[in-house]
């Protein structure tokens, strides 16, 4: 898990750097541009924290991500693509990461782990706020309605292919908390609760229709229901 | 902190940033060059989606 997080952090460092440049070109407030540039540095530092933890556990440190990965559909306009990337990164991915960190901080006992989680959470708050702040600026300049049918695509990509599949052996043990990992079934719950409590009211605040996202969530809830009934 | 409180902290807390209110601290703007442009093994564009989180 920490090896995967190392990849997430190094990829995010490149993405935030790119977003800072693109936001500046788009004329976004300097506060947002600076925040994105600083987020890029934060993510590089976070990757080094992941490296520290991997080395402490004598685990292999993967090579950093070197590709600038972008996810927006090519059919969108340049302004829409920038908005898509900011929303996917900050309003979805970083917002969900904050929920994960909050969950881990409630459970962590090891002082070293708690210290790392606190450091990451302090930064991730700003990384998530960046997206919501960007929408405040963007909504007066463009119609954000185009985001509605794309939100399920974003949250599905952010969740990854395995989150709403049955837990693999050893991935749903409560003891994982002490390794800085949220057990699988709790990850599913936290992900959906964060969409319900933060992303949906946030998007509603910005006038984005959340009906398509609700349909996606309903499908995930339905897929999880048999497990819940059998528990 | 409860997850529900994140709406206030992140969404409402972030809204002021978009109004041009200065962020705390500064930045040397490093890493804003965008790195390498995306080059997937097949030379194509990634499937629309979103970046993974924690």
């Amino acid at each position: 898990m920490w090896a995967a997080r190392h990849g997430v952090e190094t990829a995010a460092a490149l993405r935030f750097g790119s977003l800072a440049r693109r936001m500046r070109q788009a004329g976004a407030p300097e506060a947002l541009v600076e925040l994105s540039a600083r987020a890029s540095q934060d993510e590089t530092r976070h990757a080094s924290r992941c490296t520290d933890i991997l080395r402490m556990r004598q685990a292999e440190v993967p090579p950093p991500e070197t590709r600038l990965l972008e996810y927006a559909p090519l059919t969108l306009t340049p302004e829409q693509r920038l908005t898509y990337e900011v929303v996917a990164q900050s309003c979805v991915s970083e917002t969900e990461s904050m929920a994960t960190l909050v969950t881990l901080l409630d459970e962590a006992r090891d002082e070293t782990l708690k210290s790392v989680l606190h450091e990451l959470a302090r930064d991730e708050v700003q990384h998530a706020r960046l997206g919501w702040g960007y929408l405040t600026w963007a909504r007066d300049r463009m119609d954000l309605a185009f985001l509605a049918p794309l939100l399920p695509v974003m949250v599905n990509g952010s969740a990854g292919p395995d989150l709403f599949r049955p837990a693999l052996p050893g991935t749903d043990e409560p003891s994982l908390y002490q390794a800085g990992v949220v057990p699988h079934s709790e990850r599913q719950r936290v992900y959906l609760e964060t969409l319900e409590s933060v992303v949906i009211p946030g998007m509603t605040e910005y006038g984005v229709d959340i009906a398509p996202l609700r349909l996606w969530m309903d499908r995930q809830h339905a897929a999880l229901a048999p497990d819940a009934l059998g528990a | 902190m409860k997850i529900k409180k994140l709406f206030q902290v992140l969404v409402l807390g972030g809204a002021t940033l978009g109004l041009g209110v200065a962020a705390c601290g500064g930045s040397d703007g490093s890493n804003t060059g965008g790195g390498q442009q995306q080059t997937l093994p097949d030379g194509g564009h990634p499937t629309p989606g979103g970046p993974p989180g924690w």
Side-chain angles (χ1 to χ4, degrees):
Chain A
M1 180 60 83
W2 285 93
R5 286 171 179 169
H6 180 270
V8 167
E9 302 287 5
T10 54
L14 291 174
R15 283 175 55 75
F16 275 120
S18 170
L19 291 176
R21 178 175 50 81
R22 291 167 67 182
M23 281 194 279
R24 175 169 283 128
Q25 288 170 348
E30 193 58 24
L32 296 176
V33 176
E34 285 185 9
L35 192 52
S36 190
R38 195 161 65 245
S40 174
Q41 296 174 287
D42 293 341
E43 301 291 13
T44 300
R45 179 166 39 81
H46 295 177
S48 74
R49 297 289 179 270
C50 296
T51 298
D52 292 343
I53 288 175
L54 287 166
R55 286 189 176 141
M56 267 192 321
R57 296 173 184 176
Q58 298 179 327
E60 190 176 343
V61 179
E65 179 60 76
T66 57
R67 300 168 301 171
L68 174 58
L69 298 173
E70 297 184 347
Y71 300 90
L74 294 170
T75 50
L76 299 179
T77 67
E79 293 79 12
Q80 288 174 330
R81 290 182 67 185
L82 170 58
T83 301
Y84 182 104
E85 299 294 353
V86 174
V87 170
Q89 183 70 45
S90 290
C91 301
V92 176
S93 182
E94 299 285 343
T95 295
E96 287 286 354
S97 293
M98 264 309 296
T100 299
L101 285 163
V102 163
T103 304
L104 287 172
L105 277 166
D106 277 347
E107 300 288 340
R109 300 289 173 265
D110 178 79
E111 289 303 321
T112 303
L113 178 61
K114 280 167 75 173
S115 171
V116 170
L117 294 173
H118 271 297
E119 177 186 344
L120 269 52
R122 275 195 302 271
D123 296 333
E124 302 286 1
V125 164
Q126 299 299 329
H127 303 176
R129 282 176 171 168
L130 168 63
W132 301 106
Y134 174 88
L135 287 180
T136 300
W137 173 76
R139 71 173 163 191
D140 292 335
R141 291 159 180 80
M142 64 189 300
D143 185 356
L144 297 175
F146 80 96
L147 288 169
L150 298 173
L151 287 175
V153 180
M154 285 185 202
V155 300
N156 195 57
S158 179
D162 299 326
L163 182 56
F164 291 102
R165 289 182 181 156
L168 295 171
T171 64
D172 205 22
E173 311 301 323
S175 59
L176 287 170
Y177 279 121
Q178 301 318 315
V181 176
V182 179
H184 188 79
S185 56
E186 184 66 359
R187 282 182 62 215
Q188 294 170 329
R189 188 194 68 74
V190 167
Y191 197 87
L192 292 173
E193 185 184 341
T194 306
L195 292 178
E196 186 70 52
S197 304
V198 188
V199 177
I200 281 184
M203 288 298 157
T204 302
E205 189 89 0
Y206 289 95
V208 178
D209 178 15
I210 48 80
L213 178 54
R214 277 223 175 274
L215 278 176
W216 182 89
M217 290 175 66
D218 288 347
R219 282 200 296 274
Q220 310 315 316
H221 279 300
L224 296 178
D227 286 348
L229 291 173
Chain B
M1 184 192 291
K2 299 295 179 198
I3 288 174
K4 277 185 179 170
K5 198 177 174 193
L6 288 177
F7 173 77
Q8 187 177 0
V9 173
L10 304 181
V11 180
L12 301 183
T16 55
L17 293 169
L19 299 173
V21 178
C24 298
S27 166
D28 65 5
S30 66
N31 219 352
T32 58
Q36 296 176 20
Q37 192 54 275
Q38 61 191 68
T39 49
L40 296 183
D42 63 358
H45 188 77
T47 305
W54 264 48

